[in-house]
Amino acid sequence: MTTYKNLFKQTLIYGVATVLPRVISFLLVSLHTKAMPDKKMYGEVTVLFSYMIFLNVILSYGMETSFFRFYHKEDKKVNVVSTTLVSLFWSSILFLCGALLFQKSIASFLEVDKEYVNYAIWILALDALVILPFSKLRAEQKPIRYAAIKLFNVFVNMFLSLFFLIVLPDLAHSNPHGFWSSIFIKDYQVGYVFLSQLIASLFTFLVFIPNYITSSWFFDKGLWKKMIQYGWPILFAGIAFGINEHFDKILLDKLLPEHIAKAEVGAYAACYKIGLFMVLYRTAYTLGIEPFFFSQAGNSNAPQTYATVTKYFVILGSLILLVVVVFADVIKFIMLRQPEYWEAMKIVPLIIIANFFLGIYTSLSVWYKLIDRTIIGAYISVVGAVITLVLNYLLIPKFSYMGSAIATIAAYGSMMLISYFMGRTKYPIPFDMPKILGYLGASILLACISFYVPVLRETYIFGIIAILGFSYYIYKNEKEVILKTFKRK
């Protein structure tokens, strides 16, 4: 039980580092939608950030997961740290120089302002340079410092966004001939969003400068080759993940008629953010669980540990899913300030369920990482990406963003099932499937009934009763473990 308590504590801290920034990002969504009443502007921001996701994955090229694997595997951990740092540093610098050289061509290809591309290039490079320092904090089990720096980044971004989008325009308008008016740029909301993120990324990099100063800059070529061999499938899996997670926005922009495309993307992306609660939970779990799984790999009871952790991930996630869906219409008033964005609310349950499936897949995927067959993860992710692309291509022209939501849930659900059935033969884990399926099925059924039946959605009575009943169902079945976990010594 001590093992699970330690995992819970670390996951809680990582959760704070994830939840608070995401809560602030809720405020940013509210701020952005208020500052951009035209959905097309928010759509433009969304599309450009979607392209950046793919480059984020490429610039990390699987080294983060490789670092965790070899940090726990190799005796000379300092060599792992230094080799990873040198590799990521030079690859980031090469990207920065090359991208800046061709930024005009990139902007023309993406059909966006060159200045926005310039911001994006610097953001990508700076974020790549802090991959190793953040990973090192996780590997050394320093979640508090990790959380503090993550929060610092988000608060800087939030403060600057608030200043550029709300305060600066008011200052400029109150004194048309003053200093603030001279630096204010009208209709530059999109640029201010990226400028805020750039400054926040720069400050975060400066915090980690000591990591580069104190490093030995030792490069173990043999170790690096092994890390690349282990990590390159994760690169392709990451690209496939980027397709699953963000390519729908790009396809919406390309496949819908030009006069409505950006507006549809804006509404879809804004309502998609309500699914962030499940993303929070999934991300916090992933941050805490990946180092934990590797550290437990040598124990004889590791499979049972993985099975137990996965079951309780599903239990808590099922409750979160139900609560968020029931109160989605309350959340929209907080997050989406302009009613024009609410038209896409019908995608919310599907996106939340899809993100939950992805979280379950993350837990199930431990087996191929532990047997050093990360290529399998790449194959599974490619299957998901193909499903995403095909279904989006087929469904978007007819169903718009609802087609994208259906494609997302189909892709993540397929990945989850493939990983489970393959893992049964490659690395058997004794999952308690009757309970897992029972919790998952009950949560999804209750959530969909409460949301898609209009009379039940409007009154909240059914939803509240469903939450209370489901909570009691969990307590009744897991009472002994719950009491042991929270019992004070």
Side-chain angles (χ1 to χ4, degrees):
M1 193 57 66
T2 300
T3 299
Y4 299 131
K5 284 187 176 181
N6 290 335
L7 172 63
F8 176 77
K9 289 178 182 177
Q10 290 216 15
T11 302
L12 181 62
I13 297 174
Y14 286 126
V16 170
T18 306
V19 169
L20 284 183
R22 297 290 186 171
V23 168
I24 293 172
S25 74
F26 286 163
L27 300 177
L28 288 179
V29 172
S30 178
L31 175 63
H32 292 165
T33 54
K34 179 182 179 181
M36 304 178 196
D38 185 352
K39 293 179 293 184
K40 292 181 180 179
M41 297 183 73
Y42 193 69
E44 186 175 359
V45 171
T46 299
V47 170
L48 186 52
F49 268 121
S50 296
Y51 281 112
M52 290 173 64
I53 295 297
F54 293 96
L55 288 173
N56 267 323
V57 173
I58 293 171
L59 288 173
S60 66
Y61 48 93
M63 287 299 285
E64 185 176 17
T65 301
S66 289
F67 170 78
F68 287 124
R69 178 58 171 166
F70 287 89
Y71 187 87
H72 289 289
K73 186 178 182 180
E74 298 288 322
D75 293 329
K76 295 182 179 180
K77 301 184 186 305
V78 65
N79 287 359
V80 178
V81 174
S82 180
T83 299
T84 307
L85 182 143
V86 171
S87 181
L88 287 169
F89 175 80
W90 286 113
S91 61
S92 301
I93 296 301
L94 287 173
F95 161 77
L96 178 64
C97 295
L100 289 176
L101 183 63
F102 295 101
Q103 61 179 297
K104 186 175 181 179
S105 299
I106 296 171
S108 177
F109 172 76
L110 298 180
E111 298 180 344
V112 297
D113 193 294
K114 188 180 78 170
E115 195 169 2
Y116 303 159
V117 170
N118 197 313
Y119 291 150
I121 291 169
W122 280 98
I123 292 169
L124 288 164
L126 291 170
D127 288 349
L129 289 171
V130 299
I131 290 173
L132 185 275
F134 272 126
S135 299
K136 185 168 177 283
L137 290 178
R138 289 172 58 195
E140 294 175 347
Q141 297 188 5
K142 296 179 179 178
I144 294 178
R145 179 170 169 77
Y146 175 96
I149 297 173
K150 283 286 186 181
L151 292 176
F152 172 74
N153 175 282
V154 174
F155 278 119
V156 170
N157 188 17
M158 181 188 70
F159 172 80
L160 291 174
S161 296
L162 182 64
F163 174 76
F164 286 134
L165 295 175
I166 303 298
V167 178
L168 182 59
D170 288 343
L171 291 173
H173 293 152
S174 63
N175 188 0
H177 303 290
F179 169 75
W180 297 116
S181 180
S182 66
I183 65 172
F184 172 68
I185 304 174
K186 188 178 180 181
D187 296 328
Y188 196 64
Q189 292 96 319
V190 176
Y192 284 139
V193 169
F194 287 99
L195 180 59
S196 301
Q197 182 61 63
L198 172 59
I199 296 173
S201 295
L202 176 61
F203 282 171
T204 302
F205 172 71
L206 293 176
V207 170
F208 282 123
I209 281 290
N211 285 265
Y212 288 90
I213 295 175
T214 59
S215 174
S216 64
W217 291 85
F218 173 77
F219 185 75
D220 186 330
K221 187 176 180 180
L223 173 62
W224 181 79
K225 287 182 177 179
K226 290 190 291 184
M227 294 180 73
I228 291 295
Q229 185 177 5
Y230 181 86
W232 75 262
I234 297 172
L235 165 61
F236 289 99
I239 293 174
F241 170 80
I243 291 174
N244 292 328
E245 188 79 1
H246 297 281
F247 213 73
D248 51 355
K249 288 86 172 176
I250 295 173
L251 288 176
L252 280 169
D253 184 44
K254 298 298 183 182
L255 297 177
L256 291 175
E258 185 177 351
H259 67 283
I260 65 168
K262 286 291 193 302
E264 293 283 274
V265 173
Y268 175 67
C271 290
Y272 196 105
K273 293 288 187 181
I274 295 179
L276 209 54
F277 286 97
M278 187 57 70
V279 177
L280 291 181
Y281 176 60
R282 187 195 81 210
T283 305
Y285 173 77
T286 302
L287 288 171
I289 210 65
E290 192 169 68
F292 172 79
F293 277 166
F294 284 129
S295 67
Q296 294 292 310
N299 296 339
S300 59
N301 65 335
Q304 183 58 55
T305 300
Y306 302 150
T308 302
V309 169
T310 299
K311 185 179 79 169
Y312 287 103
F313 169 77
V314 172
I315 291 173
L316 184 54
S318 296
L319 182 59
I320 293 172
L321 185 157
L322 181 57
V323 171
V324 175
V325 172
V326 168
F327 293 106
D329 286 320
V330 176
I331 299 170
K332 78 180 181 185
F333 284 102
I334 301 172
M335 288 186 62
L336 311 179
R337 302 293 294 275
Q338 301 290 343
E340 288 78 8
Y341 289 91
W342 297 353
E343 66 180 59
M345 280 297 296
K346 58 186 176 182
I347 61 104
V348 170
L350 299 184
I351 296 304
I352 293 174
I353 294 169
N355 276 289
F356 192 24
F357 285 170
L358 181 59
I360 297 173
Y361 164 73
T362 300
S363 196
L364 295 176
S365 67
V366 63
W367 63 269
Y368 64 71
K369 295 179 181 179
L370 293 175
I371 64 174
D372 292 342
R373 294 293 305 279
T374 50
I375 185 65
I376 295 175
Y379 293 150
I380 295 174
S381 296
V382 168
V383 171
V386 170
I387 292 173
T388 295
L389 293 173
V390 171
L391 289 183
N392 269 288
Y393 182 79
L394 294 175
L395 298 178
I396 285 176
K398 186 173 183 179
F399 301 106
S400 186
Y401 45 69
M402 195 64 180
S404 293
I406 294 171
T408 301
I409 198 170
Y412 291 153
S414 299
M415 291 167 61
M416 175 182 67
L417 292 174
I418 293 171
S419 182
Y420 169 71
F421 285 110
M422 289 187 68
R424 291 176 64 182
T425 58
K426 303 291 185 180
Y427 189 95
I429 297 176
F431 295 113
D432 188 352
M433 292 309 297
K435 283 192 174 182
I436 288 176
L437 292 176
Y439 290 122
L440 182 61
S443 174
I444 292 174
L445 179 63
L446 292 172
C448 290
I449 291 174
S450 69
F451 189 89
Y452 290 115
V453 178
V455 65
L456 299 180
R457 179 176 173 183
E458 294 170 1
T459 61
Y460 293 100
I461 296 175
F462 176 84
I464 293 173
I465 293 174
I467 292 171
L468 295 175
F470 188 70
S471 300
Y472 176 74
Y473 176 65
I474 294 173
Y475 179 76
K476 182 180 179 181
N477 288 318
E478 311 297 333
K479 180 178 179 180
E480 183 178 348
V481 174
I482 292 172
L483 293 178
K484 282 184 179 180
T485 302
F486 292 98
K487 182 179 179 182
R488 293 183 178 179
K489 292 185 178 180

